[in-house]
Amino acid sequence: MSHRADTGRHPVNLKGWSLTGERSHQTYRFSPLRLGGHQTVRVHTGRGHDNLQHVFQNRRDHIWDNKRDVATLRDQHRHTIDTEHWGRR
């Protein structure tokens, strides 16, 4: 699971944005989702129903390595917006 927070004051539409796991090379593409200023959404690899706080990739297998990985968030123009590192590299 990963999360994205809009740290700005203005809303952002995540349609066309992507979240990629470095080790798995798996990419999740966001459907239209309006993230309000200072709002957070959690991205789950499992199955579920999307709502304003949680979106689900509907995958059977996990794509994030719990020991170490890098998640990269890109906008609809493929510009890197944020990266999150955990574990030893």
Side-chain angles (χ1 to χ4, degrees):
M1 176 173 56
S2 184
H3 63 89
R4 161 72 169 121
D6 182 357
T7 57
R9 294 182 304 163
H10 304 288
V12 175
N13 186 350
L14 298 179
K15 179 182 178 182
W17 289 40
S18 65
L19 186 61
T20 303
E22 181 179 88
R23 293 178 58 82
S24 68
H25 304 287
Q26 297 280 340
T27 298
Y28 171 74
R29 298 218 184 276
F30 287 88
S31 298
L33 174 67
R34 183 180 182 271
L35 190 61
H38 305 289
Q39 185 179 354
T40 299
V41 64
R42 290 190 179 267
V43 180
H44 303 269
T45 55
R47 297 180 187 274
H49 299 286
D50 293 353
N51 59 51
L52 295 177
Q53 291 86 27
H54 301 271
V55 294
F56 296 84
Q57 298 183 36
N58 294 319
R59 297 177 189 266
R60 291 177 158 240
D61 299 320
H62 296 282
I63 66 164
W64 311 114
D65 185 327
N66 289 334
K67 293 181 182 176
R68 65 176 186 188
D69 210 338
V70 179
T72 302
L73 179 69
R74 291 185 176 90
D75 67 13
Q76 69 273 25
H77 304 291
R78 300 208 26 88
H79 298 131
T80 298
I81 302 301
D82 197 9
T83 57
E84 181 71 28
H85 302 261
W86 60 92
R88 300 177 88 175
R89 290 195 247 166

